[in-house]
Amino acid sequence: MNGLSRTRPPWLATAVVLLLSAAIPAAAATPGETIAGAARSVVKIYGAGGVRGLEAYQTGVLVTPTGHVITVLSTVLDSDTIDCVLDDGRRFAGRLIGADPRRELAVLALEGEELPALPLAADQPRLGAGSRVLALSNLFGVAVGDERVSAQHGVVAAVVPLDARRGAYEAPYRGDVYILDCTTNNPGSPGGALIDWRGRLVGLLGKELRASTSGVWLNYALPIDEVAKAYDDIIAGRATAPATTATERFDPAVLGVILVPDLLDKTPPFIETVRAGSPAAAAGLRPDDLLVAVNGRAVPSRMAVQQTLGGLAAGDPVHVTVVRDGMIVDCDLGPRPAREGGR
Amino acid sequence: MTRERNLRRVPSAVLTGLIGLLAVVVAPARAAGQAGVPGEVALAEEEAFRTAVAAVAGAVVRIEPGAAAATVNAGAEAAPSSGPSTGLVIDADGWVVTTAFAVPADVTETVVVFPDGSRGVGRVTGRDETRGIVLLRAAPLPAGIAPAAAWVPRGELAVGQWTIAVGRGWDATAPGVAVGILSALHRSWGRSVQTDAAVSPSNYGGPLIDIRGRVIGVLAPLPADTAGMNAGTELYDSGIGFAVPLEDILRVLPRLQAGETLRPGIIGIGYRSRDAVNATPVVAVCRAGSPAVRAGMRPGDRIVSANGRPVTRVADVRHVVAPLYAGDTVELGLERTVGDRPPQLLTVKVELTATLPPWRRTVLGIVPVRVAGGEGDAPANAADPAGVTVGWVWPDGPAAKAGVRPGDVVVAALAADADAGSEAQRIDAPAVLAGFVGGLEPGRRVVLTVRRDGAPVEVAVETGVVPAEPPTEVPAREGDPAAVRVVRLEAAELPEPVLAVVPDGDPKAPLGVLVWFDQPRGAVDGEAALRVWRAAAARHGVAVLVPSSADPQRWGREDIAAVARGLEALRGKRALDPSRVALAGSGAGGAFAWLAAERLGPGVRGVALVGAVIPRQATIEPAEPGRSRAVLFGGTVPDPAVRDADRQRLATAGYPVGTLPVTDGAGPPAEMLCSWIEALGVL
């Protein structure tokens, strides 16, 4: 890894980016030309897997002419040999040179020169909902050898923080992603290129995950600026520890709010009693009030109340929204104490 | 290449106008995805999508899940989804349209999040249960809400036009966008339009708009056949989404605002065939106390028009009736054939109702001779194509009391208090007699014309309720036990053949069918099954299927599919009597028999549970003509209270529940079950 960062320092990436972006036409190409141009940089990746429903293949994108491929970090890369097949059928052995476990991205190195790369332009503004996009990936592994990866089209449906899981596995990345109106949640798609209709790389297709709240399968991509940050960190050898996902819970009893006992999986957070003299009493909360939001975040369950309070820093103002007699009532509870029990 | 030249290369693209600086391209569908279309068009369309979404965004709100919903519904099934959903503000007084997915039945208020992030309480004022639409009142609205103003009349919609699905489930403050085309116009029996834009829990309740930002309809999980609260939600990622046209919602808006619950309208008839797509709409049953009876409809009537539209298939009738509500009136044109005279045409006005009086199967106590047929067919009487031959009469039943004898051939039936001058209905198949009797309530006098020794005789029979307990003795067929074999039923897509114990004999002599689910233990031993079932199968002419469980630990869905295919295979080898098909089982197999009967549908006429109770996940639909089954309970269960509760539920739903006198651990009650199969044919 050190050797690589010596031969190709991070500033060079930026230089290459500027050079290449200048060469991209504004909007002249037909979609066919746009797709053909970008697909040259999309790599079919074959590695470990093939058991227990885990695929042994995924997609990656060449981001430097000297053979750096960005892809998603997955069990596919848990292999001594990672086969990388380019658009023209050339086959390279990929070497894993580093990974960002929080964003779940990895960089592979191919031994090549003057390879067709799509620049990682980190300075692009984020796309908004409704932006048209194209997804290029080896979904279901249907493209082999010099066959071009599949192109799909759609729009960005929403830009929201990722809250996703697959079974017991919870995605560590909690930043914004592009939710896509495009069925990219398929075996083989992770690591594929998300491009705009001008042919620019705008994101990287994410893993096969479900939304934590609704359970629907997610079609999403990591925005290009996050991808570029991960790339720069990996190339520079910076350690990127996974974010702590387990939020500390904070009992609202500390604020004087005693909720009804937790009898069901998702007990609605009704207030059972309000302790006299507490911040809750001062704010006017009453028994039988139903908590619906803490600091603007919906709290459909007792646990959600504890987690949302736990996610605040000590001293952050606590603002709760309750339903009382069919009306919405907002209350300020003042700063959140540092620790439970006031220690 | 210039932009102008490029545009001319799109032969059918039509420039419909300019919104600001952008060209809006409608038609053909997804044209911009084709090679050769300039990128400028795609980008102009992208601007058009954004402009359209912006036009409606001020009317789209988030509906919070969970908490408020649970205030009035403490049950375990309070909220079907824990994710947020969407609603559409349709006027400045705070009326918000959303779906039953976001606000399940019994929920009276929910939390609405407005685009500025503020919250309000939405009170449920009305429900449209035919379309899964719920009307909320969330007043006062905060500043900045712009209720949806422009909408598209149904008549202007065209398959292939751009459609954009807008929701706030992903993000309360920025609208989520999915783009597609209009896929079809008359879906869900005329209640919805279809789009290939991604429709999911996040945008249920949100608007489907056209490229000009006008509302087409409200996105809803509306499947072709509405069954259950969450039906249709599994389609979210399949390229199939539905929207209820706003035009239809606005038409009933005053009723929803007034607090009404609009329910599906029922005529109260059953058709002679369950094949809705192909079958001619011939009435088999008119439910007692139903709108059909009040309107003067009769079994045998053929529906030829509905609200002025000619109909030739059952599906045509459904297309007209399904969009209607209880209380609406439908005008049906009927063709009625009486005797040998030419058919007469008449028109009836049927005022649809939401519910029918509870139905219990009515019988005369006649057990016809066995008649072969496929599932759902109306089998013809092989012995006498002009009537139904009485095999035996139920001991002490109405027919026995009236003097009906084995060997009599029922050729006509007339309800004694029918309109003066109406003629008897000709009876030419057991299914016709079943339909006739099923439409009568118990205690009605029926005059049967039977042919006895070649001469017509009239017999008056009073209808009774189907007996819960099978008779202690039924006439046996006394086949040769030595001529019973284990048959391996093979079918495509069936990994392992299904074993069946089948009496040899005339392939045209109809057999009854029993499927026996034992405790799951993987592969079944054919020889052991033969020892258990041989004598009873021969004695009563019953084929006994003994399926293996794919998983040695438990019965599963794939085992039901195997049984269905096994039955098909058996039907290819031997004549089967469709009125004598039952499932039974012991322990886990007994509970599973109930589930299998639910999935296999109305073709199953009886279920027997030995040492088992009805599984908790089972639904007990009220009995209806064509959907009633005899139930027997036998053996002991750990908690007798659960079984008592089962009996109560079944009785309330109108099912006859009897007792199977078996001792625990004695093995399958082969003789009792096989004689019961014979008795299931009672009419």
Side-chain angles (χ1 to χ4, degrees), chain A residues 37-85:
Chain A
R40 294 172 62 222
S41 311
V42 180
V43 180
K44 304 177 272 280
I45 298 175
Y46 303 90
V51 290
R52 288 187 294 134
L54 299 171
E55 296 82 27
Y57 56 93
Q58 61 187 35
T59 309
V61 182
L62 268 166
V63 291
T64 68
T66 48
H68 293 85
V69 173
I70 188 112
T71 184
V72 296
L73 179 63
S74 76
T75 52
V76 174
L77 308 182
D78 290 344
S79 171
D80 294 337
T81 55
I82 303 170
D83 274 347
C84 296
V85 179

Side-chain angles (χ1 to χ4, degrees), chain A residues 281-300:
Chain A
L285 287 176
R286 300 183 200 163
D288 291 337
D289 285 353
L290 173 65
L291 282 170
V292 293
V294 171
N295 288 17
R297 268 191 73 167
V299 284

Side-chain angles (χ1 to χ4, degrees), chain B residues 392 395 470-475 539 675:
Chain B
W392 50 286
T472 42
E473 282 290 319
V474 306
R539 187 147 191 261
S675 74

Side-chain angles (χ1 to χ4, degrees), chain B residues 7-278:
Chain B
L7 282 172
R8 275 202 295 273
R9 282 172 52 196
V10 188
S12 55
V14 182
L15 285 172
T16 55
L18 290 164
I19 299 174
L21 290 174
L22 40 103
V24 178
V25 180
V26 189
R30 301 266 189 187
Q34 292 161 11
V37 179
E40 288 95 329
V41 174
L43 297 171
E45 282 174 341
E46 177 181 296
E47 273 309 303
F49 299 157
R50 286 212 185 97
T51 309
V53 170
V56 78
V60 183
V61 296
R62 170 183 277 207
I63 307 293
E64 291 282 29
T71 61
V72 287
N73 187 347
E77 295 165 25
S81 157
S82 57
S85 189
T86 302
L88 178 69
V89 181
I90 54 168
D91 77 15
D93 288 338
W95 297 105
V96 179
V97 174
T98 186
T99 66
F101 180 85
V103 191
D106 306 337
V107 172
T108 58
E109 61 185 39
T110 188
V111 174
V112 177
V113 187
F114 298 104
D116 65 1
S118 68
R119 286 176 161 78
V121 172
R123 275 186 208 81
V124 174
T125 61
R127 290 178 177 273
D128 181 343
E129 292 183 352
T130 69
R131 289 153 174 82
I133 291 293
V134 175
L135 185 70
L136 306 174
R137 183 84 189 274
L141 294 173
I145 288 283
W151 53 278
V152 195
R154 261 177 180 265
E156 286 182 27
L157 295 174
V159 169
Q161 74 175 74
W162 283 117
T163 57
I164 307 166
V166 186
R168 287 203 192 263
W170 291 118
D171 187 342
T173 53
V177 180
V179 178
I181 61 165
L182 199 62
S183 308
L185 286 175
H186 294 282
R187 281 292 187 261
S188 323
W189 302 107
R191 290 168 301 180
S192 73
V193 296
Q194 185 186 329
T195 177
D196 74 341
V199 176
S200 75
S202 75
N203 56 17
Y204 291 150
L208 184 71
I209 61 175
D210 72 358
I211 193 102
R212 290 159 61 187
R214 302 180 305 166
V215 177
I216 295 170
V218 173
L219 302 164
L222 203 65
D225 286 289
T226 310
M229 188 166 58
N230 288 347
T233 54
E234 71 283 359
L235 294 173
Y236 70 87
D237 226 0
S238 59
I240 296 175
F242 300 103
V244 178
L246 193 61
E247 181 179 347
D248 296 354
I249 297 171
L250 293 177
R251 191 179 302 130
V252 294
L253 187 63
R255 297 176 65 186
L256 296 174
Q257 287 172 329
E260 277 193 64
T261 296
L262 306 179
R263 302 169 74 184
I266 300 171
I267 302 178
I269 54 172
Y271 297 103
R272 208 164 267 180
S273 169
R274 284 193 294 274
D275 180 352
V277 177
N278 298 305

